[in-house]
Amino acid sequence: MKKWITLFIGMIMITSILGGCGSKAPETETTEKKEADTNLTASGMPIVKEPITVKFFAPKRFASQNLNDIMLWNEYEKMTNINVEWNDVIREQLVEKKNIILASGDYPDVFYGSRFTSSDLQKYGQQGVFVKLNDLIENHAPNIKRILDQNPEIKKAMTMPDGNIYAIPTITDPSFTAMRSGTFMWYKQEWLDKLGVSMPKTTEELYNFLKQVKEKDPNAVPIGGSGIDTLISHIKGSWGLGNRGASHPNVDVDPKTGELRFIPVAPEYKEMLQYIQKLYSEGLLYKDTFSANTDQAIANGIEGKYVVHPGYNPEAMFKQKGYIGGLTLTGPHGDQLYANVGATVGSSGQFVITSNNKYPEATMRWVDYLYSDEGAKMFFMGFENVTYKKTADDQYEFVDEIKNNPKGLTQDQAVAQYLTWPGGGYPGILKQQFFKGSEGMPSSIEAVKIVESQFPEEVWAPFVYTQEETDKMSALKADIETYVTEMQAKFITGNVPFTQWDNYTATLQKMGLDEYMEIYKAAYERYKK
């Protein structure tokens, strides 16, 4: 009997010990949660009473930048009581470094400006790596909540098929149409005057203009300054392509059938490539279009080499005035569409809170401020009498040290000494009042007025996919879109003749193009609802 009593007491003790061990971790987590909640202020600044530290991973445009010691974030730390430790990488290394971190499992508290796709968000959100933001937005992000309430299409684009929001995107004020387009076809006015011609109205007139430039000055670069994708984005509408806007460069609606169309196999796409191939073969397109890096392009632009520049405002990129925005070109079949316009929602995954973050509420408050007027002004304009000044008519403009930098820096380079938006991804809201980069310059505002009447009637935001669709689409996109890009270059440079077009389209079919389009269609049907 004593033996059984002793055994019974021993089992009770073991159960008590195990029970204590099992409850310790949740108890610690609960204590940390209570401490974090107590430290949070009710509203406004500072966000927390006692300083906290959070770790961010982020890209940067210029190698010389140190996000741990830049005016914007130093001043914001003083306002919020939140110290951000930045792990910053050059934007060209973003994808590689981001993938390494995700594979390691050693996540930062926040992925900032890391441009996760909806597929990434769905995958890592359902795995629990990325935190669900629905309740955090509802309870701790009044500025973001107001934007979503006023613009249901933005909320729709942010919400995954499982009903959750895992990231905050870049948002453009719908009225800021120059930003929604971003880049334009810029013409050097002195060349139009020199040749005594008017602005080209058709693709044929553009070709003739470029040819005259080359004949007049063999050393001139008739058209260049950006990659081939930018040129295509500006002329594809002249063949009726891209009729649902820039967020879906490879898919739109076939006007003949009303069905989804994969643009890179359309006959009109082939015609467009043949047109560009003619420009390339005759030396009218910058010879290093497919190999030049950004620094090379900027150096050439600063020297004023480009006669026509499809891209960002030359005044911002190259410190070159004297360019004017071009017309929407009419194509060989009468199409006149300005396809290079995006939705109000930009890149979806610009601010992601991970499961490692001990202060999600404070972190949400931190990013929410960037979606207010004051936060947007701070982020894009900086600080009064240091980076910007207020004009007599209550407008904002950068100081002379930025606009006309004495060291010869471009505006973006000068701004990047104090702020972080030039050339990088970020969460925030873009408003014409506060954004004085390329798209916000007066010449850009004028340029968009010329083309906005030719905007597509409907502009799609990015679609979202289920986890099953994501798994299939990831592999399909990698093969199909990589092959499209490779063949695009080969057709334009003449390395592959257009007699191989049927082989090209057949190869895409073998790669699973039908399945790719079925998944796209399913996402589109959800989007319409």
Side-chain angles (χ1 to χ4, degrees):
M1 184 70 178
K2 286 182 180 179
K3 178 180 177 182
W4 287 108
I5 292 172
T6 302
L7 182 61
F8 179 69
I9 293 171
M11 290 175 67
I12 292 173
M13 291 175 66
I14 291 170
T15 302
S16 299
I17 292 169
L18 290 175
C21 290
S23 64
K24 188 174 181 181
E27 196 174 283
T28 302
E29 290 173 9
T30 302
T31 301
E32 288 179 349
K33 181 73 169 64
K34 286 180 179 177
E35 289 175 354
D37 288 346
T38 303
N39 194 31
L40 198 68
T41 61
S43 63
M45 296 294 173
I47 292 172
V48 288
K49 300 167 190 171
E50 296 298 324
I52 61 172
T53 297
V54 288
K55 297 180 179 180
F56 281 31
F57 170 82
K60 59 182 178 181
R61 167 65 185 91
F62 299 103
S64 58
Q65 283 182 316
N66 175 7
L67 301 192
N68 287 296
D69 187 21
I70 199 164
M71 176 177 279
L72 171 66
W73 300 134
N74 289 343
E75 293 300 315
Y76 196 39
E77 179 184 346
K78 296 174 189 175
M79 292 168 58
T80 60
N81 253 354
I82 298 175
N83 170 45
V84 175
E85 288 184 2
W86 296 89
N87 174 11
D88 55 17
V89 298
I90 290 294
R91 66 179 182 182
E92 287 79 8
Q93 299 176 352
L94 172 62
V95 174
E96 176 190 356
K97 299 293 186 183
K98 181 174 64 175
N99 290 340
I100 290 172
I101 290 173
L102 288 169
S104 74
D106 185 15
Y107 312 122
D109 296 316
V110 168
F111 283 98
Y112 174 101
S114 295
R115 302 185 182 188
F116 285 106
T117 64
S118 61
S119 302
D120 295 328
L121 299 177
Q122 181 84 354
K123 175 182 176 181
Y124 293 105
Q126 293 196 344
Q127 288 178 4
V129 176
F130 297 166
V131 171
K132 299 173 185 176
L133 305 181
N134 306 51
D135 290 343
L136 288 171
I137 292 172
E138 182 69 27
N139 299 318
H140 301 283
N143 297 301
I144 296 172
K145 183 179 184 300
R146 183 182 65 254
I147 292 169
L148 300 190
D149 288 344
Q150 293 174 353
N151 303 275
E153 75 280 4
I154 295 177
K155 185 173 184 179
K156 180 169 65 172
M158 290 169 59
T159 304
M160 298 297 106
D162 63 4
N164 292 311
I165 296 173
Y166 296 108
I168 310 298
T170 306
I171 295 172
T172 300
D173 185 333
S175 65
F176 192 1
T177 50
M179 176 57 71
R180 292 176 60 201
S181 177
T183 60
F184 303 93
M185 286 281 277
W186 297 96
Y187 293 78
K188 210 167 191 177
Q189 181 67 59
E190 69 176 79
W191 269 99
L192 294 170
D193 297 339
K194 189 182 297 185
L195 296 173
V197 297
S198 58
M199 180 79 67
K201 298 181 179 66
T202 68
T203 52
E204 186 63 21
E205 287 182 13
L206 173 63
Y207 166 72
N208 290 330
F209 171 68
L210 299 174
K211 200 169 180 181
Q212 289 180 66
V213 168
K214 193 68 174 176
E215 290 169 354
K216 187 83 171 177
D217 182 359
N219 296 317
V221 179
I223 186 169
S226 295
I228 197 67
D229 288 343
T230 308
L231 173 60
I232 288 175
S233 71
H234 283 289
I235 67 170
K236 68 196 298 185
S238 302
W239 278 266
L241 302 169
N243 54 45
R244 292 302 184 271
S247 296
H248 298 262
N250 291 318
V251 176
D252 67 357
V253 173
D254 188 335
K256 301 184 190 75
T257 65
E259 299 295 324
L260 294 188
R261 169 176 63 179
F262 187 66
I263 293 171
V265 297
E268 297 87 352
Y269 178 83
K270 178 184 177 182
E271 283 189 30
M272 179 190 69
L273 291 189
Q274 289 172 323
Y275 174 83
I276 299 174
Q277 197 273 332
K278 181 169 69 170
L279 301 184
Y280 187 87
S281 66
E282 296 185 21
L284 307 181
L285 182 61
Y286 181 47
K287 61 183 177 62
D288 293 327
T289 292
F290 295 98
S291 60
N293 60 35
T294 303
D295 291 335
Q296 281 178 296
I298 290 175
N300 290 333
I302 289 174
E303 292 178 22
K305 288 185 176 181
Y306 306 122
V307 177
V308 179
H309 168 60
Y312 291 106
N313 195 320
E315 191 175 343
M317 279 196 74
F318 312 134
K319 294 189 68 177
Q320 287 284 323
K321 296 186 178 182
Y323 284 84
I324 56 173
L327 303 168
T328 306
L329 298 172
T330 301
H333 307 295
D335 297 291
Q336 188 189 27
L337 175 72
Y338 193 81
N340 187 48
V341 57
T344 52
V345 179
S347 182
S348 301
Q350 296 289 32
F351 193 86
V352 172
I353 298 175
T354 76
S355 55
N356 282 359
N357 194 313
K358 296 178 182 178
Y359 312 104
E361 294 85 0
T363 303
M364 180 55 72
R365 289 260 301 275
W366 186 97
V367 73
D368 181 64
Y369 181 70
L370 303 181
Y371 291 82
S372 68
D373 279 358
E374 283 301 310
K377 182 172 69 174
M378 177 190 75
F379 184 78
F380 291 110
M381 295 300 301
F383 304 92
E384 190 167 8
N385 297 324
V386 179
T387 55
Y388 78 87
K389 58 185 179 182
K390 203 170 182 180
T391 63
D393 55 351
D394 287 335
Q395 297 299 308
Y396 303 93
E397 63 178 31
F398 286 124
V399 295
D400 285 340
E401 189 266 335
I402 288 176
K403 289 194 301 181
N404 303 293
N405 186 266
K407 297 178 182 178
L409 300 178
T410 66
Q411 178 173 292
D412 283 3
Q413 290 169 332
V415 166
Q417 298 174 107
Y418 306 95
L419 310 174
T420 61
W421 59 260
Y426 46 79
I429 184 164
L430 294 145
K431 294 192 170 189
Q432 188 171 316
Q433 181 184 10
F434 304 124
F435 189 81
K436 305 302 177 185
S438 170
E439 300 88 341
M441 288 181 160
S443 48
S444 294
I445 304 303
E446 290 304 310
V448 79
K449 290 177 183 177
I450 298 171
V451 298
E452 61 186 343
S453 62
Q454 286 92 41
F455 280 6
E457 291 182 11
E458 181 181 359
V459 176
W460 289 339
F463 295 167
V464 295
Y465 301 91
T466 66
Q467 187 59 55
E468 183 182 359
E469 291 168 346
T470 295
D471 294 340
K472 293 179 181 177
M473 199 60 150
S474 295
L476 290 167
K477 281 170 71 75
D479 291 341
I480 290 172
E481 295 180 7
T482 298
Y483 181 65
V484 165
T485 301
E486 290 173 352
M487 292 303 294
Q488 182 185 89
K490 289 177 179 179
F491 282 129
I492 292 171
T493 58
N495 290 335
V496 173
F498 282 97
T499 53
Q500 295 296 309
W501 184 262
D502 289 345
N503 290 337
Y504 157 73
T505 58
T507 301
L508 285 169
Q509 289 296 331
K510 291 175 185 175
M511 287 180 166
L513 181 58
D514 286 343
E515 186 178 14
Y516 174 102
M517 291 303 294
E518 283 301 315
I519 294 171
Y520 224 103
K521 185 177 180 180
Y524 173 55
E525 293 299 327
R526 284 194 301 272
Y527 178 81
K528 286 196 297 184
K529 293 177 183 177

